[in-house]
Amino acid sequence: MSFMSINMSTSNLPVYNPSGGARIGTIYRHELFAVNTRAGGDGAFYRILFLNSRGALEWGELRYPPSAAIQNAYSSKYTYGVRRISGREYFIFKVRYRSLNIYSATGRRIGAVAAGQEVAVRSNNPQSGNSNPHWLQIHYASKTTGGWDRIAADNVDYGYVDSGLAYGSRWNTIPLDGLWSPHF
């Protein structure tokens, strides 16, 4: 599986074309991007999906990034807290600015979570989709009327929420928020 990453290093990271080597962009400090773990690299090279300077998602490659640059953005380290839902503890992240689509494990749209609500993940290092690495695996989404909707479809007990990476990638613009602010 893949995961969403946040550059918590003190460096801006050059992004290269994965098939040609030319530089195509930059990952700035406190910027979100998706890491495709299936692409290999053994810690030296990372195939990533990032928001380029034209405002479009693009595949690229990081080469020899510092370890602080490859932090699971939705890990328990950056959570808004823990909630007990149906007798089990989940890590919480907030939805800001816009509603975000929710998908089944097969990629079928099954709903949305409204801005101002929260999503709950079971793992302290949650994964994202392989085909859509900018979709975070979730188990619950809060409802505007109160309570939680269980996210389960297609014979699995989880789904995915679009992180909103296509709309913003910086700590202050990403719709699916973790505590990554440089002010914390």
Side-chain angles (χ1 to χ4, degrees):
M1 291 294 278
S2 298
F3 66 96
M4 299 293 300
S5 185
I6 189 81
N7 178 10
M8 296 301 276
S9 76
T10 59
S11 304
N12 295 330
L13 309 172
V15 180
Y16 298 94
N17 183 317
S19 58
R23 187 170 178 174
I24 58 173
T26 303
I27 300 294
Y28 295 96
R29 294 178 62 219
H30 297 99
E31 185 169 6
L32 190 76
F33 56 98
V35 176
N36 181 343
T37 57
R38 286 187 164 182
D42 300 322
F45 301 96
Y46 292 88
R47 183 148 184 202
I48 67 166
L49 184 66
F50 73 107
L51 188 63
N52 67 24
S53 60
R54 295 177 308 282
L57 293 177
E58 182 175 359
W59 286 101
E61 181 179 87
L62 294 179
R63 298 176 184 165
Y64 302 100
S67 61
I70 308 295
Q71 299 282 314
N72 190 318
Y74 297 103
S75 73
S76 58
K77 181 177 181 178
Y78 302 115
T79 185
Y80 273 89
V82 176
R83 301 256 195 296
R84 186 167 286 282
I85 306 168
S86 298
R88 191 169 191 170
E89 289 188 343
Y90 292 86
F91 300 101
I92 303 300
F93 297 94
K94 296 188 179 210
V95 177
R96 306 182 299 176
Y97 311 133
R98 63 184 312 116
S99 292
L100 296 173
N101 287 330
I102 297 174
Y103 299 91
S104 72
T106 62
R108 182 173 52 88
R109 185 182 179 281
I110 58 174
V113 58
Q117 299 305 304
E118 299 172 330
V119 296
V121 301
R122 188 177 298 152
S123 172
N124 64 345
N125 279 306
Q127 301 173 342
S128 62
N130 285 323
S131 298
N132 294 289
H134 56 298
W135 293 0
L136 179 69
Q137 186 181 90
I138 64 171
H139 294 85
Y140 286 90
S142 64
K143 300 185 283 188
T144 57
T145 57
W148 294 89
D149 276 330
R150 183 170 170 248
I151 308 302
D154 301 335
N155 299 315
V156 294
D157 70 342
Y158 62 88
Y160 294 93
V161 64
D162 185 339
S163 66
L165 183 60
Y167 305 109
S169 60
R170 300 302 300 272
W171 65 271
N172 58 345
T173 62
I174 187 74
L176 185 57
D177 190 33
L179 294 175
W180 314 302
S181 169
H183 307 295
F184 288 118

